[in-house]
């Protein structure tokens, strides 16, 4: 009896309780240089996960090995708006041995721009080119960059001081500047751009530190740069048809409770004016919770069509969504509208290893997160490095045939789990019967 008990216990301990089963696997196409790759996760693929926090996401190679990866939400990206303008330049001449800036006589036009700049006649020795005066009076923007082009004969490094003025009488020292042109073999390296402090000024004075090397300018441009942060990128779903509808009310059920940022409603052609309200509720709940209200429209204005088809939700978790239309606006027509929903974009960064093709796997309800911090996955990581990584591309949504296979696999996995639990329960019952039998067995009396 003890031998049978040992065999049953060994069998139960050897049987796996849960085996990792990824119901959905989609191929990844790699572009650019590795070994790290960045994937903008499509929302249609994200919806195939078993958990909204993507704890069941994995990246696999051709050998079926799980690869190291990290998850990161898309963040606001800085955008630079650049304005450039050509400016006039005038030579500044003075004595070669003078330390002070050359004295000049100027003639201005009616709009304040310079027409002529001439040196003051001091009669002190040879007059050489000491620098240049730039007229930026027509460019009423902060100055962030200065672009210079000069004669091809001048090579090497050219260093100069930069001073700014609004009246040509009072000058403020800005930064020192440097331009360079170097040739070797059949290649040429140029540095034509100079940093400016981002302040406004009508005139700039460039004085060369080595006047004998001051080049002849061919062009001068000033640049103003306005930086602003763009909104974090969003991942949009494909159009979703309502799961139920009646006049003036439409409902959708998402596979996961997702933190929705926006909802876009498909409006019919023609003039539309529709006051709407949105509500949500969790799976299995009876009560609807109001989310927001808004006005959707498609209307002519100034000979053009004005469209407002989006509603902001700002990251509210939603699984079931209800849209109600105020009939006083005329409704949305006889056809039930489709919607597209958006969440803040998620990026998957992984370290390629083993053989291609690589796959993205999701759908194991029992999985725990295996994501690493980005700083661990990429030693020495800095946010600016992210854009330079190789790129991975996944389908926008799980193909229908693949979803059918995933559903079948999930159903088989569910029955397999039921079978395993059945084996366990039978084993436990068998163990209980054995123990009960041993307890009831009468002790043999010794004589």
């Amino acid at each position: 009896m003890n031998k049978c008990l040992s065999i049953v216990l060994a069998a139960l301990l050897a049987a796996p309780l849960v085996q990792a089963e990824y119901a959905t696997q989609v191929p990844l196409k790699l572009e650019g240089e590795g070994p790290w790759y960045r994937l903008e996760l499509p929302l249609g693929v994200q919806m195939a996960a078993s958990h909204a926090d993507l704890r069941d996401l994995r990246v696999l190679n051709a050998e079926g090995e799980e690869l190291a990866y990290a998850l990161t939400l898309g963040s606001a990206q800085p955008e630079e708006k650049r304005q450039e303008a050509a400016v006039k330049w005038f030579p500044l001449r003075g004595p070669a041995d003078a330390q002070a800036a050359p004295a000049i006589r100027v003639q201005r036009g009616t709009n304040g721009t310079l027409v002529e700049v001439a040196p003051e006649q001091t009669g002190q020795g040879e007059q050489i080119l000491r620098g240049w005066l730039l007229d930026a009076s027509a460019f009423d923007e902060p100055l962030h960059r200065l672009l210079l082009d000069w004669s091809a004969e001048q090579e090497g490094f050219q260093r100069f001081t930069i001073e700014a003025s609004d009246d040509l009488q009072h000058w403020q020292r800005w930064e020192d500047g440097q331009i360079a042109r170097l040739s070797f073999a059949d290649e040429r390296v140029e540095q034509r751009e100079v940093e400016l402090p981002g302040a406004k000024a009508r005139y700039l004075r460039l004085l060369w530190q080595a006047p004998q090397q001051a080049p002849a300018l061919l062009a001068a441009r000033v640049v103003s740069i306005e930086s602003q942060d763009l909104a974090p990128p969003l991942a949009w779903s494909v159009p979703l048809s309502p799961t139920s509808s009646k006049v003036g009310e439409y409902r959708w059920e998402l596979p996961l409770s997702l933190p929705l940022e926006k909802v876009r409603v498909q409006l019919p052609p023609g003039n539309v004016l529709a006051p709407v309200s949105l509500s949500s509720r969790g799976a299995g709940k009876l009560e609807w919770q109001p989310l927001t209200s808004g006005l959707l429209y498609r209307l002519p204005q100034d000979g053009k069509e004005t469209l407002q088809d989006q509603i902001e939700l700002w990251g509210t978790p939603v699984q079931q969504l209800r849209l109600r239309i105020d009939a006083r606006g005329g409704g949305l027509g006889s056809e039930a509208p489709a919607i597209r929903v958006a969440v803040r974009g998620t990026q998957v960064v992984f370290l390629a290893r083993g053989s291609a093709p690589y796959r993205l796997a999701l759908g194991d309800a029992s999985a725990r997160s295996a994501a690493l911090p980005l700083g661990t996955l990429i030693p020495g990581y800095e946010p600016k490095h992210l854009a330079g990584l190789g790129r991975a591309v996944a389908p926008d949504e799980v193909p229908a045939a693949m979803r059918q296979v995933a559903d079948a696999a999930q159903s088989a996995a569910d029955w397999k789990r039921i079978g395993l639990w059945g084996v366990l329960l039978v084993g436990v019952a068998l163990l209980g019967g054995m123990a009960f039998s041993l307890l009831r067995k009468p002790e043999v009396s010794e004589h």
Side-chain angles (χ1 to χ4, degrees):
M1 181 67 68
N2 291 335
K3 185 176 181 181
C4 292
L5 181 60
S6 299
I7 293 173
V8 171
L9 284 173
L12 290 175
L13 292 174
L17 289 178
V18 178
Q19 182 180 359
E21 304 258 2
Y22 299 107
T24 301
Q25 297 187 25
V26 294
L28 298 179
K29 179 183 177 183
L30 302 188
E31 301 173 354
E33 296 293 330
W36 291 279
Y37 291 89
R38 174 174 55 93
L39 167 68
E40 300 284 350
L41 186 63
L43 184 52
V45 175
Q46 184 175 342
M47 285 182 173
S50 295
H51 301 278
D53 61 4
L54 298 175
R55 73 186 73 166
D56 55 316
L57 182 144
R58 298 293 186 272
V59 182
L60 310 176
N61 60 18
E63 291 77 26
E65 299 171 325
E66 295 184 2
L67 305 183
Y69 73 96
L71 295 175
T72 177
L73 286 176
S75 57
Q77 300 296 321
E79 182 187 48
E80 288 189 350
K81 182 181 179 181
R82 192 176 171 109
Q83 297 184 60
E84 294 188 17
V87 297
K88 291 183 179 181
W89 65 97
F90 302 88
L92 296 175
R93 299 186 182 275
D97 55 352
Q99 297 299 319
I104 57 173
R105 292 180 292 104
V106 299
Q107 180 182 349
R108 291 187 178 92
T110 55
N111 58 358
T113 59
L114 299 182
V115 176
E116 181 181 4
V117 175
E120 289 282 6
Q121 298 299 325
T122 61
Q124 297 179 359
E126 179 187 3
Q127 302 285 308
I128 66 169
L129 180 64
R130 297 279 306 282
W132 298 88
L133 179 66
L134 307 185
D135 180 6
S137 58
F139 188 69
D140 190 25
E141 300 291 339
L143 305 180
H144 294 90
R145 302 283 191 277
L146 174 63
L147 297 176
L148 299 176
D149 192 13
W150 60 100
S151 59
E153 294 79 13
Q154 296 287 345
E155 289 209 352
F157 294 93
Q158 312 285 337
R159 295 179 176 87
F160 50 89
T161 62
I162 304 175
E163 298 173 330
S165 175
D166 287 331
D167 58 7
L168 295 173
Q169 300 296 322
H170 304 89
W171 293 89
Q172 178 185 1
R173 178 75 175 265
W174 277 4
E175 303 291 336
D176 289 348
Q178 175 178 281
I179 54 178
R181 177 177 288 151
L182 302 173
S183 298
F184 55 94
D186 294 328
E187 297 185 4
R188 171 182 286 183
V189 177
E190 290 187 344
Q191 176 186 327
R192 302 176 52 240
E193 189 168 281
V194 179
E195 294 275 349
L196 298 179
K200 288 187 177 182
R202 293 174 61 85
Y203 309 104
L204 297 179
R205 185 165 66 184
L206 315 182
L207 296 177
W208 257 250
Q209 296 178 5
Q212 296 78 5
Q213 299 177 6
L217 291 187
L218 301 178
R221 300 181 68 85
V222 288
V223 180
S224 180
I225 300 174
E226 180 183 354
S227 296
Q228 58 183 3
D229 286 339
L230 298 177
L234 299 180
W236 286 91
S237 73
V238 296
L240 306 173
S241 299
T243 52
S244 66
S245 63
K246 58 183 180 180
V247 177
E249 180 177 303
Y250 309 94
R251 299 181 183 183
W252 292 263
E253 182 162 2
L254 306 178
L256 296 170
S257 179
L258 296 174
L260 301 188
E261 297 283 343
K262 291 185 179 182
V263 174
R264 180 179 294 161
V265 182
Q266 179 180 309
L267 300 182
N271 296 336
V272 177
L273 183 67
V276 300
S277 62
L278 278 177
S279 304
S280 72
R281 69 180 179 185
K285 303 291 184 180
L286 296 178
E287 297 294 328
W288 290 91
Q289 301 297 322
L291 286 176
T292 188
S293 59
L295 180 65
L296 305 178
Y297 54 84
R298 185 199 300 274
L299 297 171
Q301 186 174 8
D302 298 329
K304 298 181 180 179
E305 181 181 79
T306 304
L307 178 66
Q308 173 56 42
D309 60 354
Q310 295 187 17
I311 303 173
E312 299 271 357
L313 292 182
W314 299 285
T316 305
V318 172
Q319 183 160 8
Q320 295 185 15
L321 188 67
R322 182 180 69 184
L323 176 70
R324 281 183 166 173
I325 314 295
D326 191 329
R328 291 175 296 177
L332 295 181
S334 58
E335 296 291 333
I339 64 170
R340 297 179 67 192
V341 297
V343 301
R344 190 172 169 183
T346 297
Q347 294 181 335
V348 182
V349 180
F350 64 92
L351 177 61
R353 179 171 59 87
S355 305
Y358 299 99
R359 295 164 288 154
L360 192 69
L362 307 105
D364 179 11
S366 63
R368 295 184 178 182
S369 177
L372 296 172
L374 264 176
T376 302
L377 181 69
I378 307 177
Y381 167 78
E382 294 182 14
K384 63 182 180 181
H385 294 160
L386 199 60
L389 300 181
R391 185 167 175 257
V393 181
D396 289 337
E397 59 176 328
V398 179
M402 194 174 293
R403 188 176 293 278
Q404 292 174 3
V405 172
D407 293 342
Q410 186 63 49
S411 178
D414 293 340
W415 280 107
K416 188 173 183 178
R417 290 186 179 91
I418 293 172
L420 286 173
W421 281 108
V423 170
L424 283 175
L425 292 175
V426 170
V428 170
L430 181 59
L431 285 175
M434 290 180 179
F436 184 73
S437 176
L438 289 174
L439 290 174
R440 294 192 57 185
K441 182 176 181 180
E443 296 183 1
V444 178
S445 300
E446 296 183 1
H447 298 284

